Amino acid sequence: MGFEIERKFLVRNDEWRHAVQHRVVLRDGLLSHGERGKVRIRRQDDKAVLALKGPRLGLRRAEYEYSIPLDDADEILAGLCSGAIVEKIRHYVPHDGHVWEVDEFVGTLSNVVWAEIELESEDQPFERPAWPGEEVTGDPRFRHSTLLRLVERIDGPVAMEDVFAATL
């Protein structure tokens, strides 16, 4: 079974920017979302994947990803996804043997930034750099589905304050 273990953190400041190794532009759309998981399409540069993710059990969740043709991904994003398409720049920031992924959202969500680290096990130790702030792993306000609902409800840019105030 495929799985992912990731932890999510708010970002205190821009200190991470000087250490960015590389970045990619991502476009994500939801095809399905419910209690038992979600189905997401992602377009990234010259590749596209269909991802199936189960519900989070602690820090772990089932995850399966399948490569699909770019043209198919573009058609799915344009016509089959429910709600808004989330666009972001993912910055890869190495630190102490791990790579942090800082997601800087664009468009309506351009005021939202958070960081994630993927781990091999739930109890794997890691050193936090100075710039990650509060851990928000498992907090439903910091899910893509919450961001999509905020985009639909708020007329104009979504700020981090809107995410903090989100009621689910």
Side-chain angles (χ1 to χ4, degrees), residues 46-87:
D46 61 348
K47 73 178 196 174
V49 295
L50 181 67
L52 294 83
K53 295 187 173 205
R56 189 171 302 283
L57 303 170
L59 299 176
R60 179 184 299 252
R61 74 189 304 176
E63 178 184 52
Y64 303 91
E65 290 188 338
Y66 304 95
S67 294
I68 64 169
L70 294 175
D71 290 342
D72 289 358
D74 291 337
E75 288 178 19
I76 292 168
L77 284 164
L80 297 180
C81 292
S82 59
I85 303 301
V86 172
E87 296 184 55

Side-chain angles (χ1 to χ4, degrees), residues 5 7 59 96-98 117-127:
I5 299 169
R7 294 178 61 181
L59 299 176
D96 194 44
H98 292 94
I117 183 170
E118 289 204 22
L119 303 171
E120 296 295 319
S121 67
E122 293 182 55
D123 60 353
Q124 179 181 357
F126 63 94
E127 182 183 317

Side-chain angles (χ1 to χ4, degrees), residues 4-76:
E4 73 173 353
I5 299 169
E6 69 181 15
R7 294 178 61 181
K8 187 179 294 184
F9 297 84
L10 300 180
V11 175
R12 290 181 219 241
N13 55 48
D14 285 345
E15 289 179 21
W16 56 272
R17 290 189 186 279
H18 76 276
V20 172
Q21 187 177 54
H22 71 283
R23 62 186 52 85
V24 296
V25 176
L26 304 174
R27 295 185 72 226
D28 291 345
L30 279 179
L31 293 165
S32 175
H33 182 263
E35 284 182 23
R36 297 186 48 90
K38 68 180 177 181
V39 179
R40 180 197 70 212
I41 186 84
R42 171 171 284 166
R43 174 76 147 82
Q44 169 186 327
D45 297 332
D46 61 348
K47 73 178 196 174
V49 295
L50 181 67
L52 294 83
K53 295 187 173 205
R56 189 171 302 283
L57 303 170
L59 299 176
R60 179 184 299 252
R61 74 189 304 176
E63 178 184 52
Y64 303 91
E65 290 188 338
Y66 304 95
S67 294
I68 64 169
L70 294 175
D71 290 342
D72 289 358
D74 291 337
E75 288 178 19
I76 292 168

